[in-house]
Amino acid sequence: MFGRFFKPRWQHTNPDIRLKAIETLSGNDDADVLAQLARGDASALVRAAATARATDFNLLDEVFNHDAAPSVREAASMRIMALLAGTTSDAPPHDTRLRLVRLTDNPEVLAHIAAQSPDEACQLAAIERLDRAPLLVNLALEAASEPVRVAAAQRITSLPELKRLAREGRDKRVVRIARDAARALQEQQQQQEAQSARIIQLADRFEQHARRRVDALYGPRLEQLEQQWNESSSIASPELATRVNQALHRCRSQLSELQEEHRRKALEETARLERNAACRSLYQLLGEASGETWESQLGEMRSALATQQRRWQGASQQSEPGSEERDAFTHLTAAFEAMLALATQANEHRDDPEKLVELANQWPNEYARPPILDTITQPQSRLDETPSKPVKADPHRGLVIALKRELSKGNLRHANRLWHKAEAVLADGDAPSLARELEKLSERRAELQDWHRFAAEPKKVELCEQMEALAGSTMDAPQLASAIQALHEEWRSLMSSDQDEDQALWDRFKGATDVAYEPCKAHFAEQDAQRKANLVKRKELCQQLEAFMEAQDWSKADWEGVWQIRQQAPRDWKRYHPVRFTDARDTQKRFSAALSALDEKLDEHSKEAESQRTRLIEQAEQISVEGEDLRNAIGLAQEIQKQWRNTSWLPPSRHRPLQKRFRKAMDRVFKARDQQKDQQKQEMAQRQEQLSSHLAALETALGAEFSDANAATLKAELNALDDVSGGRLPAPMNKKLQQLRRRAQERLSRLGDWQDWHHLQEQVQALPGEEAPSDAALVLAVAFEALASVPSPEPERQRRLAWQLEALPSAMKKQGFAVMDEMQRLLKTHEGGISEAERKRLLDALAVLEPGNA
């Protein structure tokens, strides 16, 4: 009978029992059961446990990609790693694992195999597929065997990781491989950086040009820069191409800024006109509103107000209005809303003259009033009502009223009962008012009695005939019994409660009833037999319960099955119904005693199970999440969770509150872990944000024109970057940091050259001016142009050629020849002044040689 309760434990309704059942399942023999639990079990813990014992890679891949619970996906990932690494007894064969490793792209899985697999061939195959430098470095430093460490070192291509490996490697061969690879990589990077430095300088010049004021030379200079960029753009990085394109866009945008300014002013004027129109519309609505408008068109007025408010707000979003304009519109809308409120109250208080008078006094005189406020009358004073003299209550008033009601309805039976009650009251004491009322109603009662004798007797005779007709009826016993019952109900409805003269008819009716009821006796005899059979089944149920309890080994009992039997037994008891109550008393006591004994056993076990859970809850609640030792707290919490899953079964009603309390304690610990992780992420994000800010400031300083102040800014930003750039950084940010730092250092290294150039430029500016150019000034101009490699005017080409043939060779033969030094010497030897045209030629030649900006 109770076999249906002992299903397989992995189908148990309690997830803790299913967890214990999974420990007995085999990944190969019970693959279908594990797949069913891993895919569809309601408990994430059960799905994770089933996944951790599965051996089907398709199933594990499905769970990893589609399960909603992170713990289940993590269990699938760990299981895949263990199977591929061959660290479990049910792992695939060597050849299969090697083939699967060569098809795997997951870096975490490959790193686990390379570190944990006992098979060196699988380790090397995993390293061949692994391309993440941090994982490879860990393997090169910590792998168990030297071949694995060497193979990992050979796969590293990141310069920082190679330098770290060269410092921390424990094998000479690994260190040598790292040093050689780092040296080759540095040489390659230096070549690339030297090539990109020229392009970066060109990009800087583009950005500097974009920040200069537009003048007559702005366009030609831009064309010259564009020509140089077209020659080098093919080898430029996408980032530099973006910078140049942005600078070009800014240069061209400066030409259209004036047009944009005109358009903005036109938009402000349009918004102002729109706001004025909204105000005029509201003034017009108020001026044209009639009394009927305030009475019957309040909805239209509210809609119009809302429309103009939206109109004004939309125009205000396009152009911010002044404070006076905003205050004026606010006062206007407030007045409009006040009149709407007054009109609404007038319509709502039409029957309250005093309120209408108050509203009329508040209504502005300059606007039309609603008609209701023009027809106000003062409320008349109410006449004082003289209180009537209290009337003494009649204690029998209710009885008289009920009697009158029943007599008026013609209900003689109920009227007779009330009449007898009134007569009893008269017999007990003096009630003259009641006597007078009965005297008045006696005639109506007598009339009803006469009518009842006349109308009820034929009906009773008819009921006797109907009952006699049922004696030969072919109806079923239940239907026949119901028909007999219905005729008896009609007979009772015809009784007047004080008639004795219809005794003969009653005897006839009773005799016909006995004859008609004879066929029903067999039916009810069958019902008695059914009651006896149900009683026998109930006794058998008691015997089964008693036998079950006697045969049970309570130290090894399946308490959930016992609890289910306890739940099902009362339902079976009710199913064996009906029984005769007098016969079932002893059986009922026996059944109750068996249930009580079963309850005692369950209660004893439940107390012990509750005690186990309570101890674990107290331990969980005492776990400290304060301080820095949170990792130990997490480990203790996980151990307590494992013990919780191994506790004895407990009825759901007693388990749920404990489970809720336990989950709350666990959530407290894991919430602290999550908060710690969030705090670490926030600190990392804050540090990266600071670094990004300094990088942006350094990049801005590099884009500015070179000067002493600019050099000081570069030094300050470099120092700030050194303060915040410690530790690991994302690869793009680290790359950008190194590039900007190198550019800044290169620019600072040329600070002395720039100062010499600036001093030379000041000397040219200080030369005295003269109206007509002298030969010496013209020679000085062509000499500067030749030294700067810039073209000279067509008429001066012959003079330049002569100077290059005569003076330039001797100058270049001097030890330590430098272009700006030679220009300095030429300025010192120059006597006299210089015209403005030649001065401009000298400055243009110097502009090409400006250090740090070209």
Side-chain angles (χ1 to χ4, degrees):
M1 172 181 177
F2 302 116
R4 63 184 181 276
F5 300 115
F6 297 95
K7 298 179 181 178
R9 294 172 66 83
W10 62 268
Q11 293 181 343
H12 205 281
T13 57
N14 188 344
D16 294 335
I17 301 300
R18 297 199 300 275
L19 278 174
K20 294 179 181 178
I22 289 175
E23 297 177 358
T24 63
L25 300 178
S26 171
N28 295 322
D29 299 335
D30 303 306
D32 293 338
V33 174
L34 291 173
Q36 179 180 348
L37 293 173
R39 287 191 179 104
D41 196 279
S43 171
L45 291 175
V46 174
R47 297 199 305 274
T51 302
R53 298 187 70 86
T55 58
D56 186 356
F57 283 93
N58 293 328
L59 170 64
L60 294 171
D61 185 70
E62 176 186 350
V63 172
F64 178 79
N65 290 315
H66 299 98
D67 199 284
S71 60
V72 180
R73 297 197 300 272
E74 182 179 0
S77 176
M78 297 300 295
R79 183 59 173 170
I80 292 174
M81 294 180 184
L83 291 175
L84 289 178
T87 57
T88 61
S89 58
D90 52 356
H94 167 77
D95 294 338
T96 302
R97 286 189 286 108
L98 191 59
R99 178 176 54 83
L100 292 174
V101 169
R102 289 170 178 168
L103 297 174
T104 301
D105 293 325
N106 191 314
E108 286 76 16
V109 174
L110 292 172
H112 180 82
I113 297 171
Q116 303 297 331
S117 178
D119 188 353
E120 186 173 300
C122 289
Q123 289 180 301
L124 297 177
I127 292 175
E128 291 177 359
R129 301 283 296 172
L130 192 59
D131 57 359
R132 286 195 180 180
L135 300 177
L136 289 169
V137 170
N138 290 336
L139 290 172
L141 293 174
E142 302 174 1
S145 64
E146 181 181 4
V148 173
R149 295 194 294 271
V150 171
Q154 292 173 343
R155 293 280 297 165
I156 299 174
T157 58
S158 172
L159 183 58
E161 305 297 345
L162 288 171
K163 289 182 178 179
R164 177 190 171 192
L165 186 59
R167 293 192 308 268
E168 302 176 5
R170 61 181 183 179
D171 300 310
K172 292 182 179 180
R173 185 179 175 187
V174 171
V175 172
R176 185 176 66 255
I177 291 173
R179 287 177 178 174
D180 294 342
R183 187 181 302 108
L185 192 58
Q186 283 179 330
E187 293 175 355
Q188 181 182 359
Q189 287 183 355
Q190 289 174 358
Q191 294 176 359
Q192 294 176 351
E193 288 172 0
Q195 188 177 13
S196 63
R198 293 189 295 272
I199 304 176
I200 291 174
Q201 291 177 357
L202 184 58
D204 290 342
R205 294 172 65 187
F206 263 106
E207 293 175 345
Q208 293 169 15
H209 194 70
R211 289 190 293 272
R212 290 177 179 172
R213 184 176 58 84
V214 179
D215 54 14
L217 297 177
Y218 194 88
R221 181 60 175 165
L222 181 62
E223 292 179 359
Q224 182 182 4
L225 292 175
E226 284 183 297
Q227 181 179 2
Q228 296 176 9
W229 171 253
N230 292 333
E231 296 173 357
S232 306
S233 60
S234 59
I235 58 175
S237 65
E239 180 183 1
L240 287 175
T242 302
R243 287 178 54 192
V244 172
N245 291 332
Q246 291 175 351
L248 278 171
H249 178 72
R250 289 196 299 271
C251 292
R252 290 163 182 161
S253 298
Q254 291 183 14
L255 301 176
S256 60
E257 286 181 355
L258 186 60
Q259 297 177 354
E260 178 64 19
E261 179 67 17
H262 290 313
R263 189 194 68 80
R264 184 182 60 80
K265 291 182 178 179
L267 184 62
E268 291 179 354
E269 181 64 17
T270 303
R272 186 185 63 81
L273 294 176
E274 185 71 5
R275 292 194 297 270
N276 292 340
C279 293
R280 288 196 301 272
S281 297
L282 291 180
Y283 278 121
Q284 185 177 1
L285 284 173
L286 287 174
E288 295 177 357
S290 62
E292 289 74 16
T293 301
W294 295 111
E295 185 175 59
S296 59
Q297 298 181 11
L298 289 179
E300 290 81 352
M301 295 293 283
R302 291 190 182 93
S303 177
L305 174 62
T307 299
Q308 298 306 321
Q309 285 177 324
R310 289 194 297 270
R311 182 181 182 184
W312 198 88
Q313 292 295 339
S316 300
Q317 292 177 357
Q318 293 182 355
S319 175
E320 184 68 22
S323 58
E324 296 180 359
E325 184 181 358
R326 184 179 295 277
D327 292 340
F329 184 79
T330 302
H331 295 156
L332 175 59
T333 54
F336 204 118
E337 292 172 350
M339 295 186 67
L340 286 173
L342 291 174
T344 302
Q345 294 181 38
N347 292 332
E348 293 175 351
H349 297 86
R350 288 178 173 273
D351 299 329
D352 189 350
E354 296 179 359
K355 185 64 176 180
L356 292 177
V357 170
E358 179 184 351
L359 295 175
N361 293 331
Q362 297 177 8
W363 192 272
N365 295 328
E366 61 269 21
Y367 299 111
R369 294 185 177 186
I372 189 63
L373 297 182
D374 289 333
T375 58
I376 298 174
T377 58
Q378 292 294 332
Q380 298 179 357
S381 59
R382 297 181 180 177
L383 298 177
D384 294 337
E385 296 182 357
T386 304
S388 59
K389 187 176 181 180
V391 180
K392 187 177 180 180
D394 186 0
H396 309 299
R397 184 68 177 171
L399 178 60
V400 173
I401 292 174
L403 181 58
K404 287 181 179 181
R405 182 178 65 249
E406 297 300 330
L407 290 174
S408 65
K409 292 181 179 180
N411 193 347
L412 180 60
R413 183 178 180 183
H414 292 88
N416 280 334
R417 291 177 180 173
L418 294 173
W419 190 276
H420 295 326
K421 184 176 181 181
E423 288 179 343
V425 171
L426 293 175
D428 292 340
D430 186 16
S433 61
L434 180 58
R436 288 193 297 270
E437 292 294 338
L438 291 182
E439 185 177 356
K440 294 177 183 179
L441 297 174
S442 60
E443 183 178 354
R444 172 59 179 167
R445 178 170 177 262
E447 181 183 350
L448 287 177
Q449 287 176 338
D450 292 341
W451 177 87
H452 184 78
R453 293 188 188 96
F454 174 77
E457 185 172 352
K459 182 63 177 176
K460 290 181 179 180
V461 173
E462 183 180 353
L463 291 177
C464 291
E465 293 174 352
Q466 291 179 3
M467 185 63 74
E468 291 168 350
L470 289 177
S473 176
T474 59
M475 290 189 296
D476 295 338
Q479 294 179 347
L480 182 59
S482 298
I484 293 173
Q485 182 68 23
L487 292 178
H488 274 267
E489 292 292 336
E490 292 187 40
W491 182 275
R492 281 193 292 272
S493 66
L494 296 174
M495 294 176 63
S496 61
S497 76
D498 62 350
Q499 285 183 320
D500 297 329
E501 63 273 11
D502 58 353
Q503 185 63 40
L505 289 175
W506 168 250
D507 294 339
R508 177 184 173 186
F509 185 76
K510 181 64 171 63
T513 299
D514 295 339
V515 176
Y517 189 75
E518 189 66 28
C520 297
K521 292 182 179 180
H523 168 71
F524 291 112
E526 293 179 0
Q527 285 189 344
D528 289 341
Q530 181 64 36
R531 289 189 178 95
K532 292 179 181 179
N534 288 337
L535 182 59
V536 171
K537 291 180 179 179
R538 285 190 172 183
K539 291 179 179 179
E540 292 176 354
L541 181 60
C542 293
Q543 292 175 356
Q544 291 177 355
L545 282 175
E546 293 166 353
F548 169 75
M549 294 181 65
E550 291 177 0
Q552 187 66 241
D553 184 1
W554 296 108
S555 62
K556 301 179 181 179
D558 181 0
W559 289 105
E560 185 178 8
V562 173
W563 177 79
Q564 289 182 349
I565 290 174
R566 175 59 180 87
Q567 300 297 310
Q568 184 63 30
R571 291 193 286 267
D572 292 342
W573 178 271
K574 292 180 181 179
R575 191 169 68 249
Y576 302 142
H577 179 80
V579 294
R580 193 177 300 276
F581 176 74
T582 55
D583 297 340
R585 289 176 180 172
D586 295 338
T587 307
Q588 178 68 49
K589 293 179 181 179
R590 181 181 176 186
F591 180 71
S592 299
L595 290 183
S596 298
L598 200 58
D599 287 338
E600 290 179 2
K601 294 294 185 181
L602 282 170
D603 186 64
E604 181 180 352
H605 165 76
S606 298
K607 288 180 179 179
E608 176 61 26
E610 285 180 344
S611 177
Q612 295 176 3
R613 286 169 168 79
T614 302
R615 287 195 298 270
L616 293 176
I617 291 173
E618 292 174 351
Q619 294 178 16
E621 291 175 343
Q622 293 174 1
I623 296 177
S624 175
V625 296
E626 303 295 336
E628 300 179 355
D629 197 15
L630 186 58
R631 180 176 298 179
N632 293 337
I634 296 297
L636 181 58
Q638 292 174 343
E639 179 63 27
I640 293 175
Q641 280 183 326
K642 183 177 180 181
Q643 296 178 17
W644 179 272
R645 290 193 293 268
N646 293 329
T647 54
S648 302
W649 178 88
L650 193 64
S653 60
R654 305 176 75 162
H655 170 74
R656 278 191 292 268
L658 296 174
Q659 177 68 23
K660 183 177 180 180
R661 182 181 169 190
F662 180 73
R663 186 181 294 112
K664 181 179 180 181
M666 290 293 102
D667 290 345
R668 178 181 64 89
V669 178
F670 292 112
K671 183 179 179 180
R673 179 192 62 181
D674 296 339
Q675 290 176 347
Q676 186 185 62
K677 290 183 178 179
D678 292 341
Q679 182 179 0
Q680 292 174 352
K681 290 180 181 179
Q682 290 175 1
E683 292 175 355
M684 177 62 70
Q686 183 178 5
R687 177 168 158 268
Q688 292 182 4
E689 183 179 356
Q690 293 176 353
L691 184 59
S692 299
S693 175
H694 288 298
L695 287 176
L698 181 60
E699 193 169 9
T700 301
L702 286 171
E705 293 185 1
F706 199 44
S707 63
D708 292 335
N710 179 258
T713 302
L714 291 175
K715 293 178 181 178
E717 292 300 330
L718 285 175
N719 293 332
L721 284 175
D722 292 338
D723 294 338
V724 299
S725 62
R728 290 183 175 271
L729 295 174
M733 181 175 290
N734 186 59
K735 181 178 179 181
K736 186 175 182 179
L737 171 64
Q738 299 303 327
Q739 290 178 347
L740 293 178
R741 178 178 287 165
R742 184 188 64 257
R743 288 172 54 195
Q745 292 172 349
E746 290 177 356
R747 173 174 280 199
L748 289 174
S749 65
R750 304 191 64 184
L751 177 60
D753 296 339
W754 182 86
Q755 292 173 342
D756 294 340
W757 173 87
H758 186 64
H759 178 66
L760 191 61
Q761 190 182 45
E762 291 177 346
Q763 288 179 325
V764 173
Q765 294 284 4
L767 289 174
E770 59 183 19
E771 295 181 358
S774 62
D775 290 341
L778 292 174
V779 171
L780 181 63
V782 297
F784 267 59
E785 290 169 345
L787 290 171
S789 299
V790 297
S792 299
E794 186 66 27
E796 297 297 318
R797 288 190 176 182
Q798 188 64 32
R799 192 188 305 274
R800 173 173 176 168
L801 180 61
W803 183 86
Q804 287 176 338
L805 293 175
E806 295 175 3
L808 184 60
S810 60
M812 295 182 65
K813 290 180 181 179
K814 296 179 181 179
Q815 186 176 4
F817 171 79
V819 172
M820 287 195 293
D821 292 343
E822 182 63 22
M823 288 180 174
Q824 181 73 28
R825 188 188 65 78
L826 291 174
L827 284 175
K828 289 181 179 180
T829 58
H830 177 72
E831 297 180 354
I834 190 170
S835 66
E836 292 304 320
E838 274 59 49
R839 191 192 307 277
K840 183 177 182 304
R841 290 173 60 188
L842 294 178
L843 292 175
D844 289 344
L846 283 175
V848 177
L849 300 177
E850 180 181 2
N853 292 325

